[in-house]
Amino acid sequence: MKDVIIACDFGTAQQALAFLDKFENCPRKPFVKIGMELFYGAGPEIVRTIKARGHKIFLDLKLHDIPNTVRKTMKVLSGLDIDMTNVHAAGTIEMMKAALEGLTREDGTRPLLIAVTQLTSTSEERMQKDLLINATIGETIAHYAANAKEAGLDGVVCSPLEASLIKETCGKEFMAVTPGIRFADAASDDQVRITTPARAREIGSDFIVVGRPITAAEDPVAAYNRCIEEFCK
Ligand code: C5P
């Protein structure tokens, strides 16, 4: 079940497809994350195109709206034949339940649905001051993850360093999907709470989301294989 998801953070379909061309002869088709930049830039067609090439897709649009709008939007996204998508847990349990309903196809199948708890760019200080949440960031993340579980979701996106907290709170079957991955011998870029693919496996991540260490590598296929080697083996 463990897998490496490549964050395909490109602004145009041409750039994304040219990047994925490099993996044509790779025996393992990478799981690909399409985020807001690529989705809003290239439109839903990019999802169909990448899917048709045989990749699994995590559509990272982080929905957060009234339950009715989220339900109807998820129905549209489910029709794109994606494999995983997400919402903000801050939208409430009712909104997460509506998302799940919208995603579930008539035959009962659905993509995996995970929740964002607190963005890793939000510090405890900003959460308390800007959002007026009077708790520690750990308490907030654990509470939002428990809400996601209660709503029936499959897991959360979190920092790898929070994966064990999530598993303690929600059980080991509840998925931790973790960005913030860097090789031991590489730069951290703008990520602060980072870890290596090997350490993410030890801590209990189910999926790692890796962007620049693969997309900006001199040899992206070798970097991807290194992630697989460290994380999945
Ligand atoms: O290039 P890098 O490996 O830092 O990319 C990480 C990916 O994970 C990006 O697409 C980023 O938007 C996403 N992400 C993140 N932290 C979160 C949620 C998503 O880095 N909390």
PDB file of all heavy atoms in Angstrom, residues 46-75:
ATOM      1  N   ILE A  46      -6.270  17.904 -18.032  1.00  0.00           N
ATOM      2  CA  ILE A  46      -4.946  17.393 -17.639  1.00  0.00           C
ATOM      3  C   ILE A  46      -5.091  16.146 -16.757  1.00  0.00           C
ATOM      4  O   ILE A  46      -4.265  15.234 -16.807  1.00  0.00           O
ATOM      5  CB  ILE A  46      -4.085  18.493 -16.943  1.00  0.00           C
ATOM      6  CG1 ILE A  46      -2.644  18.003 -16.754  1.00  0.00           C
ATOM      7  CG2 ILE A  46      -4.654  18.930 -15.616  1.00  0.00           C
ATOM      8  CD1 ILE A  46      -1.879  17.746 -18.005  1.00  0.00           C
ATOM      9  N   VAL A  47      -6.166  16.106 -15.971  1.00  0.00           N
ATOM     10  CA  VAL A  47      -6.401  14.923 -15.128  1.00  0.00           C
ATOM     11  C   VAL A  47      -6.683  13.712 -16.023  1.00  0.00           C
ATOM     12  O   VAL A  47      -6.103  12.644 -15.851  1.00  0.00           O
ATOM     13  CB  VAL A  47      -7.590  15.159 -14.160  1.00  0.00           C
ATOM     14  CG1 VAL A  47      -7.869  13.920 -13.332  1.00  0.00           C
ATOM     15  CG2 VAL A  47      -7.306  16.360 -13.258  1.00  0.00           C
ATOM     16  N   ARG A  48      -7.550  13.921 -17.017  1.00  0.00           N
ATOM     17  CA  ARG A  48      -7.892  12.815 -17.933  1.00  0.00           C
ATOM     18  C   ARG A  48      -6.659  12.344 -18.694  1.00  0.00           C
ATOM     19  O   ARG A  48      -6.436  11.152 -18.868  1.00  0.00           O
ATOM     20  CB  ARG A  48      -8.970  13.262 -18.929  1.00  0.00           C
ATOM     21  CG  ARG A  48     -10.286  13.617 -18.254  1.00  0.00           C
ATOM     22  CD  ARG A  48     -11.409  13.842 -19.276  1.00  0.00           C
ATOM     23  NE  ARG A  48     -12.578  14.393 -18.615  1.00  0.00           N
ATOM     24  CZ  ARG A  48     -12.882  15.693 -18.547  1.00  0.00           C
ATOM     25  NH1 ARG A  48     -12.110  16.593 -19.128  1.00  0.00           N
ATOM     26  NH2 ARG A  48     -13.959  16.088 -17.904  1.00  0.00           N
ATOM     27  N   THR A  49      -5.838  13.303 -19.129  1.00  0.00           N
ATOM     28  CA  THR A  49      -4.653  12.947 -19.925  1.00  0.00           C
ATOM     29  C   THR A  49      -3.661  12.132 -19.102  1.00  0.00           C
ATOM     30  O   THR A  49      -3.154  11.100 -19.562  1.00  0.00           O
ATOM     31  CB  THR A  49      -3.960  14.231 -20.455  1.00  0.00           C
ATOM     32  OG1 THR A  49      -4.920  14.993 -21.161  1.00  0.00           O
ATOM     33  CG2 THR A  49      -2.799  13.922 -21.366  1.00  0.00           C
ATOM     34  N   ILE A  50      -3.392  12.585 -17.883  1.00  0.00           N
ATOM     35  CA  ILE A  50      -2.404  11.870 -17.055  1.00  0.00           C
ATOM     36  C   ILE A  50      -2.955  10.508 -16.638  1.00  0.00           C
ATOM     37  O   ILE A  50      -2.245   9.506 -16.615  1.00  0.00           O
ATOM     38  CB  ILE A  50      -1.980  12.746 -15.848  1.00  0.00           C
ATOM     39  CG1 ILE A  50      -1.208  13.982 -16.355  1.00  0.00           C
ATOM     40  CG2 ILE A  50      -1.134  11.957 -14.853  1.00  0.00           C
ATOM     41  CD1 ILE A  50      -0.763  14.961 -15.283  1.00  0.00           C
ATOM     42  N   LYS A  51      -4.262  10.475 -16.368  1.00  0.00           N
ATOM     43  CA  LYS A  51      -4.901   9.195 -16.013  1.00  0.00           C
ATOM     44  C   LYS A  51      -4.799   8.215 -17.192  1.00  0.00           C
ATOM     45  O   LYS A  51      -4.499   7.036 -17.004  1.00  0.00           O
ATOM     46  CB  LYS A  51      -6.369   9.467 -15.647  1.00  0.00           C
ATOM     47  CG  LYS A  51      -7.096   8.290 -15.073  1.00  0.00           C
ATOM     48  CD  LYS A  51      -6.687   8.019 -13.641  1.00  0.00           C
ATOM     49  CE  LYS A  51      -7.189   6.653 -13.227  1.00  0.00           C
ATOM     50  NZ  LYS A  51      -6.810   6.280 -11.881  1.00  0.00           N
ATOM     51  N   ALA A  52      -5.039   8.725 -18.389  1.00  0.00           N
ATOM     52  CA  ALA A  52      -4.990   7.865 -19.579  1.00  0.00           C
ATOM     53  C   ALA A  52      -3.592   7.299 -19.810  1.00  0.00           C
ATOM     54  O   ALA A  52      -3.430   6.266 -20.451  1.00  0.00           O
ATOM     55  CB  ALA A  52      -5.454   8.648 -20.805  1.00  0.00           C
ATOM     56  N   ARG A  53      -2.580   7.966 -19.269  1.00  0.00           N
ATOM     57  CA  ARG A  53      -1.202   7.442 -19.375  1.00  0.00           C
ATOM     58  C   ARG A  53      -0.933   6.361 -18.333  1.00  0.00           C
ATOM     59  O   ARG A  53       0.187   5.860 -18.239  1.00  0.00           O
ATOM     60  CB  ARG A  53      -0.193   8.568 -19.191  1.00  0.00           C
ATOM     61  CG  ARG A  53      -0.124   9.530 -20.373  1.00  0.00           C
ATOM     62  CD  ARG A  53       0.886  10.600 -20.044  1.00  0.00           C
ATOM     63  NE  ARG A  53       1.171  11.460 -21.172  1.00  0.00           N
ATOM     64  CZ  ARG A  53       2.372  12.016 -21.387  1.00  0.00           C
ATOM     65  NH1 ARG A  53       3.373  11.804 -20.542  1.00  0.00           N
ATOM     66  NH2 ARG A  53       2.568  12.789 -22.423  1.00  0.00           N
ATOM     67  N   GLY A  54      -1.913   6.088 -17.492  1.00  0.00           N
ATOM     68  CA  GLY A  54      -1.779   4.975 -16.543  1.00  0.00           C
ATOM     69  C   GLY A  54      -1.319   5.358 -15.147  1.00  0.00           C
ATOM     70  O   GLY A  54      -1.008   4.490 -14.332  1.00  0.00           O
ATOM     71  N   HIS A  55      -1.292   6.663 -14.841  1.00  0.00           N
ATOM     72  CA  HIS A  55      -0.875   7.093 -13.498  1.00  0.00           C
ATOM     73  C   HIS A  55      -2.062   7.133 -12.544  1.00  0.00           C
ATOM     74  O   HIS A  55      -3.176   7.478 -12.956  1.00  0.00           O
ATOM     75  CB  HIS A  55      -0.264   8.506 -13.543  1.00  0.00           C
ATOM     76  CG  HIS A  55       0.964   8.603 -14.365  1.00  0.00           C
ATOM     77  ND1 HIS A  55       2.208   8.312 -13.871  1.00  0.00           N
ATOM     78  CD2 HIS A  55       1.138   8.939 -15.662  1.00  0.00           C
ATOM     79  CE1 HIS A  55       3.107   8.489 -14.825  1.00  0.00           C
ATOM     80  NE2 HIS A  55       2.492   8.860 -15.933  1.00  0.00           N
ATOM     81  N   LYS A  56      -1.835   6.826 -11.264  1.00  0.00           N
ATOM     82  CA  LYS A  56      -2.833   7.117 -10.241  1.00  0.00           C
ATOM     83  C   LYS A  56      -2.729   8.605  -9.922  1.00  0.00           C
ATOM     84  O   LYS A  56      -1.640   9.183 -10.013  1.00  0.00           O
ATOM     85  CB  LYS A  56      -2.562   6.296  -8.982  1.00  0.00           C
ATOM     86  CG  LYS A  56      -2.943   4.847  -9.147  1.00  0.00           C
ATOM     87  CD  LYS A  56      -2.899   4.143  -7.802  1.00  0.00           C
ATOM     88  CE  LYS A  56      -3.475   2.764  -7.922  1.00  0.00           C
ATOM     89  NZ  LYS A  56      -3.301   1.998  -6.698  1.00  0.00           N
ATOM     90  N   ILE A  57      -3.862   9.198  -9.525  1.00  0.00           N
ATOM     91  CA  ILE A  57      -3.869  10.650  -9.318  1.00  0.00           C
ATOM     92  C   ILE A  57      -4.433  11.056  -7.961  1.00  0.00           C
ATOM     93  O   ILE A  57      -5.527  10.631  -7.574  1.00  0.00           O
ATOM     94  CB  ILE A  57      -4.671  11.349 -10.445  1.00  0.00           C
ATOM     95  CG1 ILE A  57      -3.911  11.172 -11.761  1.00  0.00           C
ATOM     96  CG2 ILE A  57      -4.876  12.838 -10.133  1.00  0.00           C
ATOM     97  CD1 ILE A  57      -4.581  11.749 -12.958  1.00  0.00           C
ATOM     98  N   PHE A  58      -3.638  11.879  -7.265  1.00  0.00           N
ATOM     99  CA  PHE A  58      -4.098  12.563  -6.048  1.00  0.00           C
ATOM    100  C   PHE A  58      -4.411  13.993  -6.473  1.00  0.00           C
ATOM    101  O   PHE A  58      -3.506  14.754  -6.795  1.00  0.00           O
ATOM    102  CB  PHE A  58      -2.989  12.502  -4.991  1.00  0.00           C
ATOM    103  CG  PHE A  58      -3.193  13.394  -3.781  1.00  0.00           C
ATOM    104  CD1 PHE A  58      -4.439  13.842  -3.385  1.00  0.00           C
ATOM    105  CD2 PHE A  58      -2.091  13.764  -3.010  1.00  0.00           C
ATOM    106  CE1 PHE A  58      -4.606  14.661  -2.260  1.00  0.00           C
ATOM    107  CE2 PHE A  58      -2.235  14.575  -1.885  1.00  0.00           C
ATOM    108  CZ  PHE A  58      -3.500  15.032  -1.518  1.00  0.00           C
ATOM    109  N   LEU A  59      -5.701  14.350  -6.485  1.00  0.00           N
ATOM    110  CA  LEU A  59      -6.101  15.702  -6.871  1.00  0.00           C
ATOM    111  C   LEU A  59      -6.189  16.545  -5.600  1.00  0.00           C
ATOM    112  O   LEU A  59      -7.105  16.401  -4.796  1.00  0.00           O
ATOM    113  CB  LEU A  59      -7.449  15.645  -7.610  1.00  0.00           C
ATOM    114  CG  LEU A  59      -7.896  16.931  -8.291  1.00  0.00           C
ATOM    115  CD1 LEU A  59      -6.861  17.452  -9.284  1.00  0.00           C
ATOM    116  CD2 LEU A  59      -9.228  16.709  -9.009  1.00  0.00           C
ATOM    117  N   ASP A  60      -5.189  17.406  -5.437  1.00  0.00           N
ATOM    118  CA  ASP A  60      -4.988  18.152  -4.184  1.00  0.00           C
ATOM    119  C   ASP A  60      -5.615  19.541  -4.306  1.00  0.00           C
ATOM    120  O   ASP A  60      -4.918  20.518  -4.549  1.00  0.00           O
ATOM    121  CB  ASP A  60      -3.471  18.232  -3.945  1.00  0.00           C
ATOM    122  CG  ASP A  60      -3.105  19.000  -2.693  1.00  0.00           C
ATOM    123  OD1 ASP A  60      -3.960  19.142  -1.801  1.00  0.00           O
ATOM    124  OD2 ASP A  60      -1.951  19.463  -2.610  1.00  0.00           O
ATOM    125  N   LEU A  61      -6.938  19.604  -4.141  1.00  0.00           N
ATOM    126  CA  LEU A  61      -7.630  20.897  -4.294  1.00  0.00           C
ATOM    127  C   LEU A  61      -8.107  21.464  -2.959  1.00  0.00           C
ATOM    128  O   LEU A  61      -8.643  22.575  -2.917  1.00  0.00           O
ATOM    129  CB  LEU A  61      -8.809  20.761  -5.274  1.00  0.00           C
ATOM    130  CG  LEU A  61      -8.439  20.348  -6.706  1.00  0.00           C
ATOM    131  CD1 LEU A  61      -9.680  20.303  -7.588  1.00  0.00           C
ATOM    132  CD2 LEU A  61      -7.402  21.276  -7.308  1.00  0.00           C
ATOM    133  N   LYS A  62      -7.962  20.699  -1.888  1.00  0.00           N
ATOM    134  CA  LYS A  62      -8.250  21.191  -0.519  1.00  0.00           C
ATOM    135  C   LYS A  62      -9.573  21.948  -0.438  1.00  0.00           C
ATOM    136  O   LYS A  62      -9.613  23.127  -0.058  1.00  0.00           O
ATOM    137  CB  LYS A  62      -7.114  22.101  -0.035  1.00  0.00           C
ATOM    138  CG  LYS A  62      -5.742  21.438   0.001  1.00  0.00           C
ATOM    139  CD  LYS A  62      -4.703  22.367   0.616  1.00  0.00           C
ATOM    140  CE  LYS A  62      -3.338  21.727   0.718  1.00  0.00           C
ATOM    141  NZ  LYS A  62      -2.625  21.580  -0.565  1.00  0.00           N
ATOM    142  N   LEU A  63     -10.677  21.283  -0.756  1.00  0.00           N
ATOM    143  CA  LEU A  63     -11.977  21.972  -0.748  1.00  0.00           C
ATOM    144  C   LEU A  63     -12.373  22.427   0.656  1.00  0.00           C
ATOM    145  O   LEU A  63     -12.135  21.719   1.636  1.00  0.00           O
ATOM    146  CB  LEU A  63     -13.075  21.054  -1.304  1.00  0.00           C
ATOM    147  CG  LEU A  63     -12.955  20.564  -2.745  1.00  0.00           C
ATOM    148  CD1 LEU A  63     -14.317  20.022  -3.211  1.00  0.00           C
ATOM    149  CD2 LEU A  63     -12.478  21.614  -3.701  1.00  0.00           C
ATOM    150  N   HIS A  64     -13.008  23.586   0.724  1.00  0.00           N
ATOM    151  CA  HIS A  64     -13.487  24.146   2.000  1.00  0.00           C
ATOM    152  C   HIS A  64     -14.618  25.104   1.648  1.00  0.00           C
ATOM    153  O   HIS A  64     -14.366  26.246   1.259  1.00  0.00           O
ATOM    154  CB  HIS A  64     -12.327  24.869   2.703  1.00  0.00           C
ATOM    155  CG  HIS A  64     -12.654  25.336   4.081  1.00  0.00           C
ATOM    156  ND1 HIS A  64     -11.727  25.949   4.885  1.00  0.00           N
ATOM    157  CD2 HIS A  64     -13.796  25.284   4.806  1.00  0.00           C
ATOM    158  CE1 HIS A  64     -12.283  26.249   6.052  1.00  0.00           C
ATOM    159  NE2 HIS A  64     -13.547  25.858   6.025  1.00  0.00           N
ATOM    160  N   ASP A  65     -15.874  24.628   1.771  1.00  0.00           N
ATOM    161  CA  ASP A  65     -17.025  25.470   1.409  1.00  0.00           C
ATOM    162  C   ASP A  65     -18.240  24.923   2.152  1.00  0.00           C
ATOM    163  O   ASP A  65     -18.094  24.026   2.995  1.00  0.00           O
ATOM    164  CB  ASP A  65     -17.215  25.436  -0.127  1.00  0.00           C
ATOM    165  CG  ASP A  65     -17.861  26.716  -0.656  1.00  0.00           C
ATOM    166  OD1 ASP A  65     -18.803  27.220   0.000  1.00  0.00           O
ATOM    167  OD2 ASP A  65     -17.448  27.195  -1.717  1.00  0.00           O
ATOM    168  N   ILE A  66     -19.418  25.403   1.844  1.00  0.00           N
ATOM    169  CA  ILE A  66     -20.597  24.872   2.539  1.00  0.00           C
ATOM    170  C   ILE A  66     -20.822  23.425   2.086  1.00  0.00           C
ATOM    171  O   ILE A  66     -20.447  23.051   0.961  1.00  0.00           O
ATOM    172  CB  ILE A  66     -21.856  25.738   2.295  1.00  0.00           C
ATOM    173  CG1 ILE A  66     -22.205  25.810   0.809  1.00  0.00           C
ATOM    174  CG2 ILE A  66     -21.674  27.134   2.888  1.00  0.00           C
ATOM    175  CD1 ILE A  66     -23.567  26.471   0.545  1.00  0.00           C
ATOM    176  N   PRO A  67     -21.407  22.596   2.956  1.00  0.00           N
ATOM    177  CA  PRO A  67     -21.528  21.165   2.645  1.00  0.00           C
ATOM    178  C   PRO A  67     -22.167  20.873   1.285  1.00  0.00           C
ATOM    179  O   PRO A  67     -21.681  20.019   0.539  1.00  0.00           O
ATOM    180  CB  PRO A  67     -22.387  20.628   3.800  1.00  0.00           C
ATOM    181  CG  PRO A  67     -22.046  21.532   4.947  1.00  0.00           C
ATOM    182  CD  PRO A  67     -21.858  22.891   4.339  1.00  0.00           C
ATOM    183  N   ASN A  68     -23.221  21.605   0.930  1.00  0.00           N
ATOM    184  CA  ASN A  68     -23.908  21.330  -0.338  1.00  0.00           C
ATOM    185  C   ASN A  68     -22.986  21.559  -1.546  1.00  0.00           C
ATOM    186  O   ASN A  68     -22.952  20.757  -2.478  1.00  0.00           O
ATOM    187  CB  ASN A  68     -25.158  22.221  -0.432  1.00  0.00           C
ATOM    188  CG  ASN A  68     -25.998  21.887  -1.635  1.00  0.00           C
ATOM    189  OD1 ASN A  68     -26.335  20.725  -1.866  1.00  0.00           O
ATOM    190  ND2 ASN A  68     -26.324  22.897  -2.421  1.00  0.00           N
ATOM    191  N   THR A  69     -22.216  22.627  -1.497  1.00  0.00           N
ATOM    192  CA  THR A  69     -21.289  22.930  -2.600  1.00  0.00           C
ATOM    193  C   THR A  69     -20.181  21.887  -2.673  1.00  0.00           C
ATOM    194  O   THR A  69     -19.797  21.444  -3.758  1.00  0.00           O
ATOM    195  CB  THR A  69     -20.691  24.345  -2.400  1.00  0.00           C
ATOM    196  OG1 THR A  69     -21.771  25.275  -2.349  1.00  0.00           O
ATOM    197  CG2 THR A  69     -19.743  24.724  -3.511  1.00  0.00           C
ATOM    198  N   VAL A  70     -19.688  21.482  -1.509  1.00  0.00           N
ATOM    199  CA  VAL A  70     -18.613  20.484  -1.492  1.00  0.00           C
ATOM    200  C   VAL A  70     -19.134  19.140  -2.001  1.00  0.00           C
ATOM    201  O   VAL A  70     -18.467  18.457  -2.784  1.00  0.00           O
ATOM    202  CB  VAL A  70     -18.010  20.378  -0.068  1.00  0.00           C
ATOM    203  CG1 VAL A  70     -17.072  19.186   0.043  1.00  0.00           C
ATOM    204  CG2 VAL A  70     -17.256  21.671   0.265  1.00  0.00           C
ATOM    205  N   ARG A  71     -20.352  18.771  -1.599  1.00  0.00           N
ATOM    206  CA  ARG A  71     -20.929  17.497  -2.075  1.00  0.00           C
ATOM    207  C   ARG A  71     -21.013  17.486  -3.598  1.00  0.00           C
ATOM    208  O   ARG A  71     -20.569  16.546  -4.264  1.00  0.00           O
ATOM    209  CB  ARG A  71     -22.333  17.300  -1.481  1.00  0.00           C
ATOM    210  CG  ARG A  71     -22.987  15.984  -1.922  1.00  0.00           C
ATOM    211  CD  ARG A  71     -24.439  15.849  -1.488  1.00  0.00           C
ATOM    212  NE  ARG A  71     -24.569  15.858  -0.040  1.00  0.00           N
ATOM    213  CZ  ARG A  71     -25.012  16.886   0.704  1.00  0.00           C
ATOM    214  NH1 ARG A  71     -25.404  18.007   0.114  1.00  0.00           N
ATOM    215  NH2 ARG A  71     -25.088  16.798   2.008  1.00  0.00           N
ATOM    216  N   LYS A  72     -21.541  18.574  -4.170  1.00  0.00           N
ATOM    217  CA  LYS A  72     -21.736  18.615  -5.631  1.00  0.00           C
ATOM    218  C   LYS A  72     -20.410  18.700  -6.383  1.00  0.00           C
ATOM    219  O   LYS A  72     -20.242  18.106  -7.440  1.00  0.00           O
ATOM    220  CB  LYS A  72     -22.658  19.792  -5.984  1.00  0.00           C
ATOM    221  CG  LYS A  72     -24.090  19.536  -5.472  1.00  0.00           C
ATOM    222  CD  LYS A  72     -25.135  20.453  -6.086  1.00  0.00           C
ATOM    223  CE  LYS A  72     -24.869  21.893  -5.830  1.00  0.00           C
ATOM    224  NZ  LYS A  72     -25.928  22.780  -6.277  1.00  0.00           N
ATOM    225  N   THR A  73     -19.444  19.410  -5.792  1.00  0.00           N
ATOM    226  CA  THR A  73     -18.126  19.503  -6.435  1.00  0.00           C
ATOM    227  C   THR A  73     -17.424  18.145  -6.412  1.00  0.00           C
ATOM    228  O   THR A  73     -16.805  17.735  -7.395  1.00  0.00           O
ATOM    229  CB  THR A  73     -17.265  20.560  -5.716  1.00  0.00           C
ATOM    230  OG1 THR A  73     -17.991  21.781  -5.690  1.00  0.00           O
ATOM    231  CG2 THR A  73     -15.941  20.766  -6.423  1.00  0.00           C
ATOM    232  N   MET A  74     -17.542  17.446  -5.299  1.00  0.00           N
ATOM    233  CA  MET A  74     -16.906  16.128  -5.199  1.00  0.00           C
ATOM    234  C   MET A  74     -17.505  15.149  -6.205  1.00  0.00           C
ATOM    235  O   MET A  74     -16.808  14.279  -6.712  1.00  0.00           O
ATOM    236  CB  MET A  74     -17.039  15.586  -3.774  1.00  0.00           C
ATOM    237  CG  MET A  74     -16.061  16.213  -2.813  1.00  0.00           C
ATOM    238  SD  MET A  74     -14.334  15.901  -3.346  1.00  0.00           S
ATOM    239  CE  MET A  74     -13.427  16.556  -1.957  1.00  0.00           C
ATOM    240  N   LYS A  75     -18.799  15.313  -6.482  1.00  0.00           N
ATOM    241  CA  LYS A  75     -19.433  14.442  -7.484  1.00  0.00           C
ATOM    242  C   LYS A  75     -18.775  14.662  -8.851  1.00  0.00           C
ATOM    243  O   LYS A  75     -18.483  13.716  -9.578  1.00  0.00           O
ATOM    244  CB  LYS A  75     -20.935  14.752  -7.541  1.00  0.00           C
ATOM    245  CG  LYS A  75     -21.768  13.670  -8.195  1.00  0.00           C
ATOM    246  CD  LYS A  75     -23.241  13.945  -7.898  1.00  0.00           C
ATOM    247  CE  LYS A  75     -24.210  13.135  -8.709  1.00  0.00           C
ATOM    248  NZ  LYS A  75     -23.926  11.800  -9.029  1.00  0.00           N
TER     249      LYS A  75
END
